[in-house]
Amino acid sequence: MARVFVYGTFTDPDRVASVLDRYDLGATATLRGLHRVEGRYPTLAPGGETTGRLLETPEIGRLDAYEGVESGLYVRVTVPLSTGGSAECYVGDPESLGADAAWPGTGPFEKRVRSYLEEEAVTIGRNE
């Protein structure tokens, strides 16, 4: 079972049900260290925080396909939970999404996102 932090259309139960057969859309949570940026679809950028929800599903492959991971539209990264464990999170390429966001560093988008997450204290905390 994969745990995924969602912050866009997947915070809506009807939207989740249109893509996944098996899921639990659980508690609200806050992603600290990244903020939401609007584009063609929402994405994340360094700094700030974002409110979303924790989704649990065994169908992570269906989410990867929906988010365009194979084509590079979004990358899936693992973010630690403040209470232990981790959750997956999708970060969209701002250039492909027409979003006003910049990631530090050089090289491919995925490399810059992963480097930032390794260097900064990005975490997800449940909102109880």
Side-chain angles (χ1 to χ4, degrees), residues 2-127:
R3 185 178 298 131
V4 184
F5 176 80
V6 294
Y7 56 91
T9 57
F10 280 136
T11 59
D12 175 13
D14 292 335
R15 187 61 158 164
V16 177
S18 73
V19 176
L20 301 175
D21 294 324
R22 296 178 294 159
Y23 66 90
D24 177 30
L25 188 56
T28 60
T30 300
L31 172 64
R32 290 178 178 80
L34 299 175
H35 68 279
R36 182 177 159 149
V37 178
E38 297 301 325
R40 186 168 45 120
Y41 303 109
T43 187
L44 298 167
E49 60 183 42
T50 301
T51 301
R53 295 181 79 171
L54 289 172
L55 168 74
E56 292 190 9
T57 183
E59 300 176 298
I60 194 76
R62 288 178 84 173
L63 286 177
D64 283 354
Y66 180 86
E67 299 290 3
V69 170
E70 190 172 305
S71 69
L73 185 62
Y74 280 78
V75 296
R76 177 167 44 96
V77 295
T78 303
V79 178
L81 294 171
S82 60
T83 56
S86 62
E88 302 302 304
C89 183
Y90 292 91
V91 180
D93 182 350
E95 186 175 313
S96 298
L97 297 173
D100 186 17
W103 285 85
T106 59
F109 172 66
E110 182 174 357
K111 177 182 176 258
R112 289 181 286 138
V113 171
R114 293 190 188 284
S115 293
Y116 182 85
L117 293 176
E118 287 174 9
E119 296 169 10
E120 300 298 325
V122 176
T123 61
I124 299 167
R126 294 176 194 247
N127 300 345

